Short mmCIF file of all heavy atoms in Angstrom, two decimals:
data_model
loop_
_atom_site.label_atom_id
_atom_site.label_comp_id
_atom_site.label_asym_id
_atom_site.label_seq_id
_atom_site.Cartn_x
_atom_site.Cartn_y
_atom_site.Cartn_z
N ARG A 11 -14.37 -15.35 -14.38
CA ARG A 11 -14.66 -15.51 -12.92
C ARG A 11 -13.46 -15.36 -12.05
O ARG A 11 -13.50 -15.45 -10.86
CB ARG A 11 -15.41 -16.79 -12.66
CG ARG A 11 -16.79 -16.79 -13.27
CD ARG A 11 -17.50 -18.12 -12.99
NE ARG A 11 -18.86 -18.06 -13.56
CZ ARG A 11 -19.68 -19.08 -13.58
NH1 ARG A 11 -19.23 -20.26 -13.11
NH2 ARG A 11 -20.90 -18.98 -14.12
N GLY A 12 -12.29 -15.19 -12.74
CA GLY A 12 -11.02 -14.96 -11.90
C GLY A 12 -10.33 -16.19 -11.50
O GLY A 12 -9.43 -16.18 -10.66
N TRP A 13 -10.75 -17.41 -12.01
CA TRP A 13 -10.05 -18.63 -11.61
C TRP A 13 -8.76 -18.87 -12.31
O TRP A 13 -7.86 -19.53 -11.76
CB TRP A 13 -10.95 -19.81 -11.86
CG TRP A 13 -12.09 -19.91 -10.86
CD1 TRP A 13 -13.37 -19.56 -11.05
CD2 TRP A 13 -11.95 -20.47 -9.54
NE1 TRP A 13 -14.13 -19.77 -9.92
CE2 TRP A 13 -13.27 -20.32 -9.00
CE3 TRP A 13 -10.94 -20.96 -8.81
CZ2 TRP A 13 -13.56 -20.79 -7.73
CZ3 TRP A 13 -11.26 -21.38 -7.52
CH2 TRP A 13 -12.57 -21.30 -7.02
N VAL A 14 -8.62 -18.46 -13.57
CA VAL A 14 -7.39 -18.71 -14.38
C VAL A 14 -6.99 -17.47 -15.19
O VAL A 14 -7.83 -16.51 -15.35
CB VAL A 14 -7.61 -19.86 -15.40
CG1 VAL A 14 -7.95 -21.14 -14.66
CG2 VAL A 14 -8.66 -19.54 -16.44
N ASN A 15 -5.77 -17.48 -15.63
CA ASN A 15 -5.24 -16.41 -16.46
C ASN A 15 -4.55 -17.04 -17.67
O ASN A 15 -3.93 -18.11 -17.50
CB ASN A 15 -4.23 -15.55 -15.71
CG ASN A 15 -4.73 -14.92 -14.47
OD1 ASN A 15 -5.73 -14.12 -14.58
ND2 ASN A 15 -4.17 -15.21 -13.37
N SER A 16 -4.73 -16.52 -18.84
CA SER A 16 -4.09 -17.07 -19.99
C SER A 16 -2.87 -16.08 -20.38
O SER A 16 -3.00 -14.92 -20.32
CB SER A 16 -5.00 -17.13 -21.18
OG SER A 16 -6.04 -18.09 -20.85
N ARG A 17 -1.78 -16.77 -20.71
CA ARG A 17 -0.57 -16.01 -21.20
C ARG A 17 -0.21 -16.62 -22.56
O ARG A 17 0.53 -17.66 -22.58
CB ARG A 17 0.58 -16.17 -20.16
CG ARG A 17 0.22 -15.54 -18.87
CD ARG A 17 1.42 -15.69 -17.93
NE ARG A 17 0.90 -15.93 -16.60
CZ ARG A 17 1.50 -16.57 -15.64
NH1 ARG A 17 2.73 -17.04 -15.82
NH2 ARG A 17 1.02 -16.67 -14.45
N ALA A 18 -0.58 -15.94 -23.64
CA ALA A 18 -0.26 -16.40 -24.96
C ALA A 18 1.24 -16.21 -25.19
O ALA A 18 1.72 -15.22 -24.79
CB ALA A 18 -1.09 -15.70 -26.02
N PRO A 19 1.90 -17.06 -25.79
CA PRO A 19 1.54 -18.41 -26.22
C PRO A 19 1.93 -19.44 -25.16
O PRO A 19 1.95 -20.68 -25.48
CB PRO A 19 2.37 -18.61 -27.49
CG PRO A 19 3.65 -17.90 -27.19
CD PRO A 19 3.21 -16.73 -26.31
N ILE A 20 2.10 -19.04 -23.97
CA ILE A 20 2.61 -19.98 -22.93
C ILE A 20 1.58 -20.97 -22.44
O ILE A 20 1.83 -22.15 -22.32
CB ILE A 20 3.18 -19.21 -21.72
CG1 ILE A 20 4.32 -18.30 -22.20
CG2 ILE A 20 3.64 -20.14 -20.59
CD1 ILE A 20 4.78 -17.28 -21.14
N GLY A 21 0.37 -20.49 -22.16
CA GLY A 21 -0.68 -21.37 -21.68
C GLY A 21 -1.59 -20.68 -20.69
O GLY A 21 -1.58 -19.53 -20.51
N THR A 22 -2.38 -21.58 -20.03
CA THR A 22 -3.38 -21.09 -19.06
C THR A 22 -2.92 -21.53 -17.70
O THR A 22 -2.47 -22.68 -17.46
CB THR A 22 -4.77 -21.69 -19.33
OG1 THR A 22 -5.11 -21.32 -20.68
CG2 THR A 22 -5.81 -21.23 -18.39
N PHE A 23 -2.92 -20.57 -16.75
CA PHE A 23 -2.47 -20.79 -15.38
C PHE A 23 -3.61 -20.53 -14.37
O PHE A 23 -4.45 -19.68 -14.60
CB PHE A 23 -1.33 -19.80 -15.08
CG PHE A 23 -0.10 -20.03 -15.84
CD1 PHE A 23 0.01 -19.65 -17.18
CD2 PHE A 23 1.01 -20.81 -15.33
CE1 PHE A 23 1.17 -19.85 -17.91
CE2 PHE A 23 2.13 -21.01 -16.07
CZ PHE A 23 2.24 -20.55 -17.36
N VAL A 24 -3.56 -21.31 -13.34
CA VAL A 24 -4.51 -21.04 -12.19
C VAL A 24 -4.09 -19.68 -11.63
O VAL A 24 -2.93 -19.38 -11.50
CB VAL A 24 -4.40 -22.11 -11.10
CG1 VAL A 24 -5.23 -21.78 -9.91
CG2 VAL A 24 -4.77 -23.52 -11.68
N ALA A 25 -5.11 -18.90 -11.32
CA ALA A 25 -4.82 -17.61 -10.72
C ALA A 25 -3.95 -17.72 -9.45
O ALA A 25 -4.05 -18.78 -8.77
CB ALA A 25 -6.11 -16.86 -10.38
N ALA A 26 -3.16 -16.72 -9.18
CA ALA A 26 -2.28 -16.76 -7.97
C ALA A 26 -3.05 -16.64 -6.68
O ALA A 26 -2.55 -17.09 -5.69
CB ALA A 26 -1.26 -15.61 -8.11
N VAL A 27 -4.24 -16.10 -6.72
CA VAL A 27 -5.12 -16.04 -5.55
C VAL A 27 -6.50 -16.46 -5.95
O VAL A 27 -6.93 -16.35 -7.09
CB VAL A 27 -5.19 -14.63 -4.98
CG1 VAL A 27 -3.86 -14.19 -4.41
CG2 VAL A 27 -5.70 -13.59 -5.92
N MET A 28 -7.25 -17.01 -5.02
CA MET A 28 -8.63 -17.44 -5.23
C MET A 28 -9.46 -16.16 -5.61
O MET A 28 -9.20 -15.09 -5.06
CB MET A 28 -9.23 -18.05 -4.01
CG MET A 28 -8.52 -19.34 -3.59
SD MET A 28 -8.94 -20.71 -4.68
CE MET A 28 -10.29 -21.36 -3.82
N PRO A 29 -10.45 -16.32 -6.45
CA PRO A 29 -11.34 -15.19 -6.74
C PRO A 29 -11.95 -14.68 -5.50
O PRO A 29 -12.18 -15.36 -4.50
CB PRO A 29 -12.41 -15.82 -7.66
CG PRO A 29 -11.84 -17.11 -8.21
CD PRO A 29 -10.82 -17.54 -7.17
N ALA A 30 -12.25 -13.40 -5.48
CA ALA A 30 -12.81 -12.70 -4.29
C ALA A 30 -14.10 -13.44 -3.82
O ALA A 30 -14.33 -13.54 -2.62
CB ALA A 30 -13.09 -11.24 -4.60
N SER A 31 -14.89 -13.95 -4.77
CA SER A 31 -16.09 -14.63 -4.39
C SER A 31 -15.85 -15.89 -3.57
O SER A 31 -16.77 -16.40 -2.90
CB SER A 31 -16.91 -14.96 -5.60
OG SER A 31 -16.15 -15.86 -6.47
N GLU A 32 -14.65 -16.41 -3.64
CA GLU A 32 -14.27 -17.61 -2.92
C GLU A 32 -13.50 -17.37 -1.59
O GLU A 32 -13.30 -18.25 -0.84
CB GLU A 32 -13.36 -18.49 -3.80
CG GLU A 32 -14.11 -19.02 -5.03
CD GLU A 32 -15.18 -20.00 -4.74
OE1 GLU A 32 -14.99 -20.86 -3.80
OE2 GLU A 32 -16.24 -19.93 -5.34
N GLN A 33 -13.14 -16.11 -1.36
CA GLN A 33 -12.41 -15.76 -0.21
C GLN A 33 -13.36 -15.78 1.00
O GLN A 33 -14.45 -15.26 0.86
CB GLN A 33 -11.78 -14.36 -0.31
CG GLN A 33 -10.74 -14.25 -1.41
CD GLN A 33 -9.48 -14.96 -1.12
OE1 GLN A 33 -9.17 -15.23 0.03
NE2 GLN A 33 -8.71 -15.31 -2.15
N PRO A 34 -12.94 -16.36 2.11
CA PRO A 34 -13.82 -16.32 3.26
C PRO A 34 -14.00 -14.92 3.81
O PRO A 34 -13.08 -14.09 3.76
CB PRO A 34 -13.09 -17.18 4.31
CG PRO A 34 -11.68 -17.22 3.88
CD PRO A 34 -11.67 -17.01 2.36
N ALA A 35 -15.21 -14.62 4.22
CA ALA A 35 -15.53 -13.32 4.77
C ALA A 35 -14.80 -13.13 6.11
O ALA A 35 -14.73 -14.10 6.88
CB ALA A 35 -16.97 -13.08 4.90
N PRO A 36 -14.22 -11.96 6.39
CA PRO A 36 -13.59 -11.80 7.72
C PRO A 36 -14.59 -11.90 8.81
O PRO A 36 -15.76 -11.51 8.67
CB PRO A 36 -12.99 -10.40 7.63
CG PRO A 36 -13.66 -9.75 6.52
CD PRO A 36 -14.24 -10.76 5.59
N THR A 37 -14.14 -12.39 9.97
CA THR A 37 -15.01 -12.51 11.11
C THR A 37 -15.14 -11.18 11.75
O THR A 37 -14.40 -10.23 11.56
CB THR A 37 -14.45 -13.52 12.17
OG1 THR A 37 -13.22 -13.00 12.66
CG2 THR A 37 -14.19 -14.88 11.53
N LEU A 38 -16.12 -11.04 12.66
CA LEU A 38 -16.33 -9.80 13.39
C LEU A 38 -15.14 -9.44 14.27
O LEU A 38 -14.72 -8.33 14.36
CB LEU A 38 -17.60 -9.91 14.25
CG LEU A 38 -18.05 -8.67 14.99
CD1 LEU A 38 -18.21 -7.49 14.00
CD2 LEU A 38 -19.28 -8.95 15.72
N ILE A 39 -14.49 -10.51 14.77
CA ILE A 39 -13.29 -10.26 15.68
C ILE A 39 -12.19 -9.73 14.78
O ILE A 39 -11.51 -8.78 15.20
CB ILE A 39 -12.92 -11.61 16.35
CG1 ILE A 39 -14.01 -11.99 17.37
CG2 ILE A 39 -11.57 -11.49 16.97
CD1 ILE A 39 -13.80 -13.37 17.98
N GLU A 40 -11.99 -10.25 13.62
CA GLU A 40 -10.90 -9.83 12.73
C GLU A 40 -11.22 -8.37 12.30
O GLU A 40 -10.31 -7.52 12.25
CB GLU A 40 -10.81 -10.71 11.51
CG GLU A 40 -10.32 -12.06 11.82
CD GLU A 40 -10.45 -13.06 10.59
OE1 GLU A 40 -11.37 -12.88 9.78
OE2 GLU A 40 -9.61 -13.95 10.50
N LEU A 41 -12.44 -8.07 11.96
CA LEU A 41 -12.83 -6.67 11.58
C LEU A 41 -12.60 -5.72 12.73
O LEU A 41 -12.12 -4.60 12.51
CB LEU A 41 -14.25 -6.64 11.07
CG LEU A 41 -14.48 -7.29 9.72
CD1 LEU A 41 -15.98 -7.33 9.43
CD2 LEU A 41 -13.76 -6.61 8.62
N SER A 42 -12.96 -6.16 13.94
CA SER A 42 -12.77 -5.29 15.12
C SER A 42 -11.31 -4.98 15.32
O SER A 42 -10.91 -3.84 15.64
CB SER A 42 -13.32 -5.91 16.40
OG SER A 42 -14.74 -6.07 16.24
N ALA A 43 -10.49 -5.99 15.15
CA ALA A 43 -9.02 -5.78 15.34
C ALA A 43 -8.48 -4.82 14.28
O ALA A 43 -7.64 -3.98 14.56
CB ALA A 43 -8.29 -7.15 15.24
N GLN A 44 -9.01 -4.92 13.06
CA GLN A 44 -8.55 -4.00 11.98
C GLN A 44 -8.95 -2.59 12.29
O GLN A 44 -8.17 -1.63 12.08
CB GLN A 44 -9.11 -4.46 10.65
CG GLN A 44 -8.48 -5.73 10.08
CD GLN A 44 -9.12 -6.21 8.78
OE1 GLN A 44 -10.13 -5.60 8.30
NE2 GLN A 44 -8.58 -7.23 8.24
N VAL A 45 -10.14 -2.44 12.84
CA VAL A 45 -10.64 -1.09 13.20
C VAL A 45 -9.75 -0.51 14.30
O VAL A 45 -9.38 0.68 14.24
CB VAL A 45 -12.14 -1.16 13.63
CG1 VAL A 45 -12.58 0.16 14.28
CG2 VAL A 45 -13.02 -1.43 12.40
N ARG A 46 -9.45 -1.31 15.31
CA ARG A 46 -8.57 -0.82 16.42
C ARG A 46 -7.23 -0.41 15.87
O ARG A 46 -6.65 0.63 16.23
CB ARG A 46 -8.43 -1.94 17.47
CG ARG A 46 -9.54 -2.00 18.49
CD ARG A 46 -9.21 -2.86 19.72
NE ARG A 46 -8.71 -4.23 19.34
CZ ARG A 46 -9.52 -5.21 19.05
NH1 ARG A 46 -10.76 -5.06 19.07
NH2 ARG A 46 -9.02 -6.42 18.75
N ASP A 47 -6.67 -1.23 14.98
CA ASP A 47 -5.37 -0.88 14.37
C ASP A 47 -5.45 0.44 13.61
O ASP A 47 -4.52 1.25 13.72
CB ASP A 47 -4.86 -2.02 13.46
CG ASP A 47 -4.51 -3.28 14.25
OD1 ASP A 47 -4.38 -3.23 15.44
OD2 ASP A 47 -4.39 -4.37 13.54
N LEU A 48 -6.49 0.60 12.83
CA LEU A 48 -6.63 1.81 12.06
C LEU A 48 -6.86 3.08 12.94
O LEU A 48 -6.36 4.12 12.73
CB LEU A 48 -7.81 1.66 11.09
CG LEU A 48 -7.54 0.75 9.92
CD1 LEU A 48 -8.87 0.51 9.12
CD2 LEU A 48 -6.51 1.27 9.01
N GLN A 49 -7.58 2.83 14.07
CA GLN A 49 -7.85 3.94 14.98
C GLN A 49 -6.46 4.39 15.63
O GLN A 49 -6.20 5.56 15.79
CB GLN A 49 -8.77 3.53 16.12
CG GLN A 49 -10.19 3.49 15.60
CD GLN A 49 -11.19 2.92 16.67
OE1 GLN A 49 -10.76 2.03 17.43
NE2 GLN A 49 -12.41 3.36 16.61
N ALA A 50 -5.64 3.47 15.95
CA ALA A 50 -4.29 3.71 16.54
C ALA A 50 -3.45 4.47 15.49
O ALA A 50 -2.78 5.44 15.84
CB ALA A 50 -3.60 2.41 16.98
N GLU A 51 -3.49 4.05 14.20
CA GLU A 51 -2.70 4.74 13.20
C GLU A 51 -3.19 6.15 12.99
O GLU A 51 -2.40 7.06 12.86
CB GLU A 51 -2.79 3.97 11.87
CG GLU A 51 -1.96 2.74 11.80
CD GLU A 51 -2.02 2.12 10.41
OE1 GLU A 51 -1.80 2.83 9.41
OE2 GLU A 51 -2.22 0.89 10.33
N VAL A 52 -4.50 6.38 13.00
CA VAL A 52 -5.09 7.71 12.84
C VAL A 52 -4.66 8.60 14.02
O VAL A 52 -4.27 9.76 13.80
CB VAL A 52 -6.60 7.65 12.68
CG1 VAL A 52 -7.27 9.03 12.88
CG2 VAL A 52 -6.99 7.00 11.38
N SER A 53 -4.68 8.06 15.16
CA SER A 53 -4.27 8.82 16.40
C SER A 53 -2.78 9.20 16.30
O SER A 53 -2.41 10.36 16.52
CB SER A 53 -4.44 7.93 17.64
OG SER A 53 -4.03 8.66 18.80
N GLN A 54 -1.94 8.27 15.81
CA GLN A 54 -0.57 8.63 15.67
C GLN A 54 -0.35 9.68 14.57
O GLN A 54 0.48 10.63 14.78
CB GLN A 54 0.30 7.32 15.29
CG GLN A 54 0.43 6.38 16.47
CD GLN A 54 1.07 5.06 15.98
OE1 GLN A 54 1.23 4.84 14.80
NE2 GLN A 54 1.40 4.21 16.93
#
């Protein structure tokens, strides 16, 4: 499920980032800002 990683023979470590299923979904405002940024890059 992406919560831990094992490194033989060192041990088991918590993943460096939360699994995607645990990441909060971006808000509409955040997505709109990303679209505007991408539109500006495409224009340039």
Side-chain angles (χ1 to χ4, degrees):
R11 293 181 176 172
W13 285 101
V14 300
N15 301 302
S16 295
R17 297 183 214 152
I20 300 169
T22 302
F23 294 78
V24 175
V27 295
M28 296 286 269
S31 61
E32 295 292 319
Q33 298 288 338
T37 66
L38 185 56
I39 293 171
E40 292 169 331
L41 290 174
S42 294
Q44 289 176 357
V45 167
R46 277 193 306 277
D47 292 346
L48 289 171
Q49 287 172 327
E51 283 186 50
V52 167
S53 178
Q54 290 172 349

